[in-house]
Amino acid sequence: MKILFLDQSGKPGGAELCLMDIAKPYGDRALVALFADGDFKTLLQQQQIPVEVLATQPINVQKQSNLLQALFSFKQLFPLLIKVVKLAKKYDLIYANTQKALVIGALASVLARRPLVYHLHDILSSEHFSQTNLRVAVTLANFFASLVIANSQASQTAFVQAGGKPELTAIVYNGFASNNYQIPEDEIKQTQKDLDIQGKFVVGHFSRLAPWKGQHILIAALAQCPPQVTAILVGDALFGEQDYVQALHQQVAKLGLENRVKFLGFRSDIPQLMAACNLVTHTSTAPEPFGRVIVEAMLCGTPVVAAKAGGAVELVEHGVNGFLITPGEPQELAKVINTALQEIEITATIADYARNIASQRFDIATINQEIAQLLCSGKIKLSGTEVVDFEDAQD
Ligand code: UDP
Ligand code: GLC
């Protein structure tokens, strides 16, 4: 089967990193078409995944756009649509990985007569999106997609609550190659030396810098922890959240934590950095659709504490394979950090257990097989009724 993957972003967010693992096994039978240039293209090239950037101008529909803005942006989308339709005719299936990709993918699926699959990486609720965006996403998925792959039960539930057809959905978690997260002791020591964090109790936060990712919760918690507790904040403001970055630096200065917080920016050595931490924190203040960083911490054997909402609840069982805290509560987070600092053995046992379970539960080969089976199933139809026989599908 030949698949045309569509993604609106040139930046490597979680949805894009997930897509990379799904596209890889298809080799030359896949093309990832991006609506923007950027580091994600380079990452795909490094993995020898065919990639093409279709639009050079960013598309101006924001998560909170109203109908007028959405319609206006259609003018921008038209040339892109033409390119996608032409490309789609060379592939058996269109696989939309983001919301703007769904808009273009839905129209292209009709014009090129190719079935559409939508990989839903978002919680479609008013906490995350405007009413217009919600309506557009759900309506297009209902009418044009043969299959909606939700990245968690939480994303699937929100889709259905927003009016999405349950019979279209399947839940598939992100997959990971666990061997990429097994870091030798000498490499961990070297990373700690490079960061000048030897002998400290290091709490890591690995997310793009954005208000709902809640880095400010960790900083506030840190002020309630003993001085040997240090934080590393890994990630950049991927979507222009410069005000938030400034607010974080101000918060650090105000609390006198300059020597205990390091901003490392975007990094490509996540497993090494996670393995060098004593605890990884996930602090999203709005429900996290899935939460790759939670699973990655588990695979590194580093204890993880996550905000109890959305997909995180499906990944973590409190006191069994990690810890859960109420979203937006720095006191609770400080309590968990202090417990992890004192109860080293119990925490290590929890982390070991988490590593074993996560490497089976999120195994990339198994997950890719699940997706392949879904794509070959009778569910995949052109909008309307026609079932596509991929053996015969040709331009
Ligand atoms: N990540 C990265 N470099 C960074 C910060 C994050 O490669 O500096 C990766 C991280 O390891 C994870 C992804 O970005 O795989 C973020 O995915 P997640 O699902 O946690 O959140 P998202 O940003 O997609 O909402
Ligand atoms: C999105 C979500 C994140 C999820 C990722 C991969 O970026 O925000 O929670 O882990 O997609 O599915």
Side-chain angles (χ1 to χ4, degrees), residues 93-238:
L93 181 91
I94 302 173
Y95 192 112
N97 199 52
T98 57
Q99 284 198 30
K100 287 168 203 165
L102 171 66
V103 175
I104 294 289
L107 298 172
S109 86
V110 177
L111 296 170
R113 297 180 50 74
R114 292 294 181 271
L116 173 73
V117 170
Y118 176 35
H119 198 143
L120 173 63
H121 293 279
D122 295 310
I123 290 192
L124 294 177
S125 73
S126 51
E127 264 172 299
H128 287 281
F129 297 97
S130 71
Q131 278 308 314
T132 306
N133 277 10
L134 289 181
R135 231 175 308 136
V136 168
V138 170
T139 309
L140 290 178
N142 277 350
F143 276 95
F144 299 103
S146 302
L147 171 70
V148 176
I149 298 177
N151 65 353
S152 65
Q153 176 69 61
S155 297
Q156 194 268 2
T157 304
F159 175 73
V160 173
Q161 276 171 0
K165 290 183 188 164
E167 64 272 21
L168 287 180
T169 63
I171 297 165
V172 183
Y173 290 140
N174 280 213
F176 299 82
S178 58
N179 54 329
N180 289 346
Y181 296 86
Q182 281 155 20
I183 308 301
E185 202 53 42
D186 56 333
E187 254 187 73
I188 298 178
K189 291 238 157 65
Q190 188 58 47
T191 308
Q192 289 168 332
K193 203 169 156 211
D194 293 345
L195 294 175
D196 196 19
I197 51 173
Q198 308 107 304
K200 304 260 171 64
F201 187 89
V202 183
V203 180
H205 196 294
F206 296 82
S207 284
R208 55 202 162 86
L209 303 178
W212 77 275
K213 289 293 188 180
Q215 281 85 357
H216 58 285
I217 305 294
L218 171 58
I219 296 171
L222 199 65
Q224 299 172 37
C225 297
Q228 74 268 35
V229 182
T230 295
I232 57 170
L233 300 185
V234 183
D236 214 345
L238 288 190

Side-chain angles (χ1 to χ4, degrees), residues 13-15 17 207-208 212-213 234-235 265-267 270 288 291-293 296:
L17 296 173
S207 284
R208 55 202 162 86
W212 77 275
K213 289 293 188 180
V234 183
F266 187 88
R267 299 277 298 232
I270 297 299
E288 181 73 54
R292 290 175 61 86
V293 290
E296 290 174 311

